[in-house]
Amino acid sequence: MLQEINEPHRTLCGERIPFENIHAVSVSLPQLSDVIGYEEKRTETLSRLKSGYPRFVAHSYIARILDYNRETRKIDTPQFIVSSRKAANTIVQKFSIQKHEIVEDEGIVTLVIPNLKDLEKEILSFIQHTGCLASSRMAEDFLLKKGILQEIFKEKVEKENPVQKILSTLSSFYGDSNPEILLSVSGMNGVYSAFESLDRIQRNKGKTVWIRLGWLYVDNIRILEKYTKDSYVIHDATDLENLEQFLKQNSKQVAGIITECPTNPLLLVPDYEKLKSIVDQYQIPLIADISVAGSAVINVLPYADVAVESLTKFACGNGDLMMGSVILNKGSYWFSEILPICKELIEAPYLRDCERLAYEIQGYEERVLRISANVKRLAEYFSQQPGIRNVFWTGSSENFEKIARLPDIQAGVLSIELSIPLEKFYDRLALLKGPSFGTEFTLNMLYVYLAHYELVIQEEGRKFLKENGLDPNLIRISVGIENPDLLIQEYKKALET
């Protein structure tokens, strides 16, 4: 039986997902009111959170280090714990911070700035969008050394050559193309490093316009909004005619294209052969974020210059660490220029996170195959339900088949658009509900609420979302490896009118 059904305390608002794992990167938001409370930062909701996605909610161990700094160092101005001194220096330079202090203690780097609210907000956003966070295991080791913790969380790890084992597993999915793979402290840090590398190269050539192909994940959107001189948005990732028309007029100004494959949450996939012919014609670099599928499921390297994957997702499978990878196509025109810059920019992951992932990644391919089989079962079930208006999954895309590594394999995420009241379905559903995806346990997320709440609460915003195929009643489901009959049983109960 599914644990959350047997043990409903696992799904109380604010519980860690995975339950009782101090390194959990998701959090239970079991009622629509919890989701709204989380987005509106209501005290009654936030006070119950034991965890959260680390780029949005400070890990409890990070919070304890901040408290430690206040008590022992008497720091009473804004402070930020980042992944390295390099990250701290980058922030100082980017925001031209004159008065600051960088404190290094037992591997933890803290940037301290004057009490300037606007600057504090900008730095927090930069850390969120670029993913240069200190990991929970790094924080755990610090607290252990200081005697604040008595022991570390017990988990299975692979201590022998963990980095090499991760790289070897990822490389094995790409066969003879043998890409250059760099590990990053988070998926977003990988995206940002790839983007910033190409942006620097292209800026020197007077190319400053970035194209956003498809409705991207919120932080991918923010990178282009905040850190580019100009961008052009094509909300439908399959609309290559629009892309061609724009490039005919503006190709000399275009620095690059960022897309997701498949897109999140509508699982759209363009014709990559056609896309490749277009970018080759105009010599435009293409970055593809493949996190929604993963390297074990798809191979876009024949068509893209850079692929980026959040290893927090399917490679990990347990939602208990942050890491990313930048997969550089050695056949790319830009490879020799990108590689040194990307190496310079990227924030390397913490060793203990690598040891954990080296253990988890051993089951990567088997995991996605089992998930894929469940996706097919659920998609078939949902497509026959009157309470569901639309089902979005990669099984309905011929373009996805062309980039899939194995016959009939599917991405492990699908989305459903309800025709019945959202609150009734969501609150009644007895499965895990919270942010993130790529876990061995099924995880349901009110994607539009959690990613674009500012649009959901405005009439114009809702209109804009619907114009782009995003209904607030959309549930993104990261499908797990559970017995599919039991999953269907729970969705059936939630759909009952």
Side-chain angles (χ1 to χ4, degrees):
M1 192 60 182
L2 300 172
Q3 282 182 302
E4 56 267 28
I5 310 302
N6 264 357
E7 303 173 22
H9 59 281
R10 287 173 174 269
T11 57
L12 292 172
C13 176
E15 286 296 333
R16 296 184 185 96
I17 300 178
F19 186 69
E20 289 183 342
N21 186 331
I22 192 63
H23 300 297
V25 303
S26 188
V27 62
S28 178
L29 298 171
Q31 307 283 303
L32 177 59
S33 59
D34 299 325
V35 175
I36 292 169
Y38 174 84
E39 283 299 317
E40 295 184 351
K41 296 180 169 50
R42 294 178 187 170
T43 305
E44 64 267 28
T45 304
L46 298 186
S47 63
R48 297 165 73 186
L49 301 187
K50 292 184 181 177
S51 67
Y53 203 74
R55 286 187 302 99
F56 300 94
V57 178
H59 191 276
S60 60
Y61 284 171
I62 298 292
R64 287 172 81 171
I65 297 175
L66 294 172
D67 287 341
Y68 173 85
N69 286 345
R70 290 185 195 101
E71 290 165 17
T72 62
R73 298 181 183 278
K74 308 303 178 192
I75 294 172
D76 59 0
T77 59
Q79 51 174 323
F80 312 89
I81 295 172
V82 291
S83 47
S84 70
R85 187 175 187 96
K86 180 176 74 174
N89 286 331
T90 297
I91 293 167
V92 168
Q93 289 164 16
K94 185 157 194 73
F95 296 101
S96 304
I97 306 169
Q98 299 302 314
K99 292 183 179 178
H100 68 276
E101 184 183 3
I102 297 173
V103 179
E104 292 187 70
D105 185 7
E106 298 286 7
I108 289 291
V109 177
T110 307
L111 171 63
V112 185
I113 65 163
N115 203 356
L116 300 167
K117 279 290 172 197
D118 287 347
L119 178 60
E120 180 184 7
K121 194 175 174 183
E122 281 189 62
I123 292 172
L124 283 170
S125 290
F126 181 80
I127 292 170
Q128 177 188 317
H129 304 324
T130 63
C132 54
L133 302 149
S135 90
S136 58
R137 288 175 183 81
M138 180 190 281
E140 185 176 45
D141 284 347
F142 174 90
L143 295 171
L144 186 72
K145 288 169 186 171
K146 295 295 182 184
I148 297 167
L149 290 179
Q150 302 311 307
E151 60 180 358
I152 63 169
F153 180 74
K154 289 181 173 57
E155 58 188 357
K156 292 181 178 177
V157 296
E158 176 55 69
K159 284 188 170 288
E160 192 176 330
N161 300 322
V163 172
Q164 189 50 47
K165 283 179 177 168
I166 295 166
L167 293 174
S168 175
T169 301
L170 292 173
S171 294
S172 70
F173 299 131
Y174 291 94
D176 294 340
S177 60
N178 187 30
E180 183 84 28
I181 302 176
L182 307 175
L183 298 182
S184 57
V185 75
S186 65
M188 279 314 304
N189 186 250
V191 172
Y192 179 74
S193 299
F195 154 76
E196 179 65 17
S197 299
L198 277 167
D199 193 54
R200 285 186 189 182
I201 293 164
Q202 298 291 66
R203 219 181 304 147
N204 289 336
K205 300 171 185 175
K207 299 185 175 193
T208 57
V209 177
W210 277 85
I211 296 174
R212 199 169 96 204
L213 182 59
W215 187 280
L216 306 186
Y217 175 64
V218 61
D219 280 303
N220 287 345
I221 292 173
R222 296 292 177 264
I223 283 174
L224 293 191
E225 285 179 347
K226 292 188 174 186
Y227 309 127
T228 62
K229 192 172 178 183
D230 201 3
S231 63
Y232 179 71
V233 181
I234 301 170
H235 286 124
D236 180 354
T238 65
D239 188 359
L240 299 185
E241 282 184 30
N242 187 336
L243 176 64
E244 269 193 293
Q245 287 303 315
F246 182 77
L247 289 177
K248 274 180 188 175
Q249 305 292 323
N250 305 281
S251 64
K252 286 183 169 57
Q253 286 80 48
V254 174
I257 300 169
I258 290 189
T259 191
E260 290 173 4
C261 184
T263 61
N264 183 6
L266 297 181
L267 291 303
L268 297 177
V269 180
D271 180 339
Y272 267 85
E273 288 179 6
K274 185 177 180 186
L275 177 56
K276 171 72 171 165
S277 70
I278 294 168
V279 295
D280 281 356
Q281 181 184 345
Y282 295 101
Q283 217 168 48
I284 309 286
L286 174 66
I287 299 172
D289 183 340
I290 62 168
S291 302
V292 171
S295 293
V297 176
I298 60 172
N299 180 5
V300 297
L301 274 198
Y303 314 103
D305 300 281
V306 185
V308 182
E309 178 178 3
S310 171
L311 302 177
T312 302
K313 310 304 192 297
F314 294 100
C316 162
N318 293 290
D320 63 358
L321 59 79
M322 296 287 280
M323 204 179 300
S325 62
V326 177
I327 303 153
L328 298 170
N329 183 346
K330 287 180 179 173
S332 165
Y333 172 84
W334 289 271
F335 174 73
S336 60
E337 286 186 275
I338 298 172
L339 181 60
I341 303 173
C342 211
K343 278 185 171 178
E344 174 200 331
L345 290 172
I346 210 160
E347 290 290 313
Y350 190 56
L351 179 60
R352 275 189 56 213
D353 291 305
C354 293
E355 290 173 349
R356 176 63 174 156
L357 183 61
Y359 172 79
E360 293 170 313
I361 204 170
Q362 294 172 49
Y364 191 1
E365 186 162 57
E366 182 192 348
R367 177 160 48 246
V368 295
L369 285 168
R370 290 177 67 185
I371 288 171
S372 172
N374 281 357
V375 165
K376 285 178 245 179
R377 282 287 308 278
L378 284 174
E380 183 183 340
Y381 168 74
F382 288 139
S383 65
Q384 296 167 359
Q385 303 312 305
I388 295 174
R389 187 181 294 116
N390 284 307
V391 181
F392 304 96
W393 69 303
T394 52
S396 56
S397 169
E398 287 182 12
N399 291 329
F400 185 80
E401 286 179 37
K402 296 175 187 174
I403 56 170
R405 280 188 59 248
L406 302 167
D408 206 29
I409 196 168
Q410 303 300 331
V413 173
L414 58 78
S415 296
I416 56 173
E417 186 184 305
L418 300 172
S419 57
I420 60 172
L422 172 65
E423 187 168 11
K424 187 177 178 184
F425 172 87
Y426 186 79
D427 290 0
R428 194 189 276 180
L429 183 63
L431 299 173
L432 290 171
K433 289 167 275 187
S436 199
F437 63 90
T439 49
E440 291 189 347
F441 45 85
T442 296
L443 188 55
N444 300 267
M445 175 180 169
L446 279 182
Y447 182 87
V448 183
Y449 274 75
L450 284 167
H452 303 289
Y453 188 69
E454 75 285 358
L455 297 176
V456 172
I457 57 176
Q458 299 170 8
E459 190 176 335
E460 277 299 306
R462 288 194 300 275
K463 184 182 172 189
F464 175 67
L465 287 166
K466 289 203 174 187
E467 284 170 359
N468 290 288
L470 285 166
D471 192 304
N473 280 10
L474 182 137
I475 313 271
R476 188 188 71 188
I477 303 170
S478 176
V479 180
I481 61 172
E482 304 97 334
N483 180 334
D485 293 327
L486 295 178
L487 291 174
I488 287 169
Q489 188 177 301
E490 295 308 318
Y491 286 113
K492 187 177 181 181
K493 288 178 195 171
L495 284 164
E496 284 172 0
T497 52

